[in-house]
Amino acid sequence: MKKVVFLILQMVLQMAGSTSLRFIKSNVLVLEVSDLSSTEVSVHCGEQFEGEDIQWERNGERIAESGNRITVTIDGLRGGNFTCHRPNGDLLNYTLLLVHPVAFPRGVLMHSNDREFVSCTARNYSGHFHCSWKWHQERTQRAVVYFAAIRNSSVINCTLDSNISGLTCIDKDHCPYSEESRGINLTLLVRNLYRLEEHHRSFLIRDIVKPDKVSITKIEGDMFEWHPPETWMFPCSYFPLSYEVKVVPYNNSCDYTGSRVEKNEINETQYKVNNKKTYTFCVRAQDPLTKNIWSDWSHHHQKHRHSSKQ
């Protein structure tokens, strides 16, 4: 039902030139433009107010236009919040008019490390996943206008994070023991002031699984032992993990690629280091069946046989 409503609200009205007007949700219109020339748009207070004396404000400032339906001029990205009032000031209705410059570079969100505007990861195959984005640091009047995640015509339950920089979702119909046949389609609409940006991601859960960091639980001399992340799914015979172990010179990060690096990929959960000098031991996990995303590194600094886990 929700998807049907969304499709109805996305009706597009073709306008003069290369612009169109799109209904996103109740009281929110988007003017899609291919250039920043002026465009005239009709704004309606409501059928129920027909015949009344109606006054209008744009972003809280009184404008000269009056009546139940008015025509306003949109210059460039200068959309606005148009409110209609009775002569005594009573608010009757509003229309938030946003501008979506379809042929212009994105400027509200920034690319993440994977060169995507929206990044999605899952800790396991349970159907829970999280998507996040980075706001451009100069966009201070930002907001999320609309979001939806849909798989196989069904709407997935998602909630907006409190910092409005991510979505936490759960696909309750996802079965971790069966092959995924259809992907998830995510739509995100964000704005800064009255400029709208539209972003899309399509993915399968198996393509975004990133295990949590492993926990190094036992250290005896140069022998290390660890366990799969607590959030990983069991049994491990069905949900296996492989591990990359890396030994780098002491006090270097696990991403160090210089000299004296020992690196191996194994299936066991223990490893003996053959290094008599001080070093940093690193380990991370990956699903060996998909080989998509490694977990973040866990590490331990080994100095003079004294240890302190981190």
Side-chain angles (χ1 to χ4, degrees), residues 139-159:
R139 312 305 180 191
T140 58
Q141 300 189 47
R142 54 208 185 193
V144 174
V145 178
Y146 174 85
F147 59 85
I150 297 173
R151 191 209 292 264
N152 197 23
S153 302
S154 298
V155 177
I156 296 172
N157 182 29
C158 294
T159 57

Side-chain angles (χ1 to χ4, degrees), residues 115 130 236 266 281:
R115 303 305 298 166
H130 185 262
C236 285
I266 61 176
F281 175 78

Side-chain angles (χ1 to χ4, degrees), residues 100-279:
H100 180 205
V102 294
F104 287 70
R106 308 289 177 88
V108 177
L109 299 185
M110 299 177 60
H111 281 113
S112 61
N113 292 335
D114 58 4
R115 303 305 298 166
E116 297 283 355
F117 287 100
V118 179
S119 298
C120 298
T121 57
R123 291 177 163 182
N124 50 45
Y125 290 95
S126 65
H128 290 79
F129 62 93
H130 185 262
C131 296
S132 60
W133 51 89
K134 295 180 180 179
W135 297 95
H136 194 287
Q137 60 267 26
E138 296 179 2
R139 312 305 180 191
T140 58
Q141 300 189 47
R142 54 208 185 193
V144 174
V145 178
Y146 174 85
F147 59 85
I150 297 173
R151 191 209 292 264
N152 197 23
S153 302
S154 298
V155 177
I156 296 172
N157 182 29
C158 294
T159 57
L160 184 65
D161 295 350
S162 59
N163 62 0
I164 67 168
S165 294
L167 294 173
T168 301
C169 307
I170 176 171
D171 182 0
K172 295 182 179 179
D173 295 329
H174 175 67
C175 177
Y177 302 98
S178 63
E179 187 73 17
E180 283 182 274
S181 59
R182 297 193 178 183
I184 295 170
N185 296 305
L186 175 70
T187 299
L188 175 70
L189 304 183
V190 296
R191 71 179 177 99
N192 183 73
L193 287 173
Y194 303 106
R195 172 177 177 160
L196 183 86
E197 262 184 23
E198 184 168 355
H199 297 274
H200 298 274
R201 282 297 307 268
S202 296
F203 54 87
L204 298 166
I205 291 290
R206 67 170 179 261
D207 293 331
I208 64 168
V209 167
K210 178 183 178 180
D212 279 341
K213 293 172 65 174
V214 303
S215 176
I216 300 174
T217 58
K218 187 177 181 181
I219 305 160
E220 292 183 357
D222 293 308
M223 176 66 76
F224 293 83
E225 187 174 307
W226 58 89
H227 291 306
E230 292 182 0
T231 53
W232 191 245
M233 302 190 71
F234 295 89
C236 285
S237 57
Y238 196 89
F239 300 100
L241 283 175
S242 62
Y243 303 94
E244 183 178 41
V245 295
K246 190 174 180 182
V247 182
V248 300
Y250 185 76
N251 267 351
N252 283 281
S253 74
C254 293
D255 295 320
Y256 176 78
T257 58
S259 61
R260 293 197 299 116
V261 173
E262 177 183 335
K263 184 168 66 173
N264 286 287
E265 188 171 332
I266 61 176
N267 295 321
E268 294 78 20
T269 57
Q270 61 181 20
Y271 188 81
K272 181 175 178 58
V273 176
N274 297 311
N275 192 331
K276 301 306 179 183
K277 296 183 179 181
T278 57
Y279 58 85

